Amino acid sequence: MSPLLQGLLAWLLALNVVTAVAYAWDKIQARRGNRRIPERTLLLLNLAGGFGGAWLVFFGMRHKTLHRSFWFVQSVATVLWIVAFAVLPIE
């Protein structure tokens, strides 16, 4: 596996954990009526590669499922990252 691919996989793993924690924290804060994480931040985490963690909390905790913008951005981010991996040389 190429160093580029290894680095990218490490980035995605870390970012997916961070994104899942951010989404979960935002859901907990919403239930408590406390200060929330800005939607822009959650969407940017998604686009930066945290789409898996976002989907996990999106469905697991039913967080942001009524927001069309989140459906759209998460879907686009997922497709873009899949395409990126499809064209990335594996060796």
Side-chain angles (χ1 to χ4, degrees):
M1 186 180 322
S2 72
L4 173 63
L5 187 57
Q6 288 177 341
L8 190 55
L9 289 173
W11 166 262
L12 289 176
L13 177 64
L15 198 59
N16 275 285
V17 170
V18 168
T19 303
V21 169
Y23 268 63
W25 179 255
D26 189 59
K27 177 68 172 187
I28 291 166
Q29 293 298 87
R31 287 180 181 160
R32 294 177 180 167
N34 292 337
R35 185 172 167 87
R36 311 268 305 274
I37 296 173
E39 287 187 355
R40 175 180 285 180
T41 301
L42 296 175
L43 292 171
L44 288 173
L45 285 169
N46 228 311
L47 289 169
F51 58 91
W55 285 118
L56 182 70
V57 177
F58 189 75
F59 290 118
M61 295 180 78
R62 299 194 48 81
H63 189 47
K64 301 289 187 187
T65 56
L66 299 178
H67 297 256
R68 288 182 187 210
S69 61
F70 279 84
W71 279 99
F72 178 76
V73 171
Q74 284 179 206
S75 298
V76 168
T78 302
V79 169
L80 288 174
W81 278 98
I82 289 171
V83 168
F85 267 97
V87 299
L88 192 70
I90 294 181
E91 294 181 22

